[in-house]
Amino acid sequence: MTYNNQWRELRKLILRRDNNICYYCNMQADTVDHIIPIVKGGTNHESNLVAACAKCNYGKQDQDELQFRVKQYAKKFTNKRDFFEGKTQVSAALS
């Protein structure tokens, strides 16, 4: 079996395992992403692979999961300074 065939089979397995639901946003997944990118020491082992929608997969690029999730969370705020200074609706309500 060639590498391409092995990858196709692994990709099908991961998408099926994750019910074609994106690990990052819970939308329909059509790609497979490395949680820890290959360039940062990740592997093609199934424990490092998750189903991902194209938007999240391509948006994540070579970031690790934490970097990507912080970036996703920060995008929800129109004023980035408020986010990074901890001035969110939740922190305001707790004050």
Side-chain angles (χ1 to χ4, degrees):
M1 186 182 291
T2 66
Y3 175 78
N4 285 338
N5 288 338
Q6 287 176 335
W7 177 252
R8 280 190 204 105
E9 290 303 313
L10 184 57
R11 181 181 176 280
K12 286 181 195 177
L13 175 81
I14 299 303
L15 288 170
R16 194 172 332 127
R17 179 197 69 192
D18 295 348
N19 296 312
N20 287 72
I21 302 296
C22 179
Y23 177 76
Y24 304 108
C25 72
N26 295 318
M27 300 299 286
Q28 184 72 28
D30 50 1
T31 68
V32 171
D33 182 53
H34 294 85
I35 298 170
I36 301 170
I38 296 288
V39 299
K40 293 190 176 180
T43 68
N44 284 330
H45 189 270
E46 64 185 80
S47 64
N48 189 47
L49 298 171
V50 292
C53 69
K55 182 178 178 182
C56 287
N57 194 352
Y58 301 129
K60 182 174 169 275
Q61 297 176 343
D62 65 349
Q63 301 172 79
D64 62 36
E65 180 185 0
L66 180 60
Q67 290 171 316
F68 179 65
R69 289 198 182 271
V70 167
K71 183 178 163 185
Q72 273 186 315
Y73 187 71
K75 282 183 182 179
K76 294 180 182 181
F77 295 91
T78 54
N79 185 339
K80 302 292 191 256
R81 178 176 287 168
D82 287 349
F83 170 75
F84 288 107
E85 290 178 358
K87 298 176 185 173
T88 63
Q89 291 177 350
V90 173
S91 62
L94 295 175
S95 300

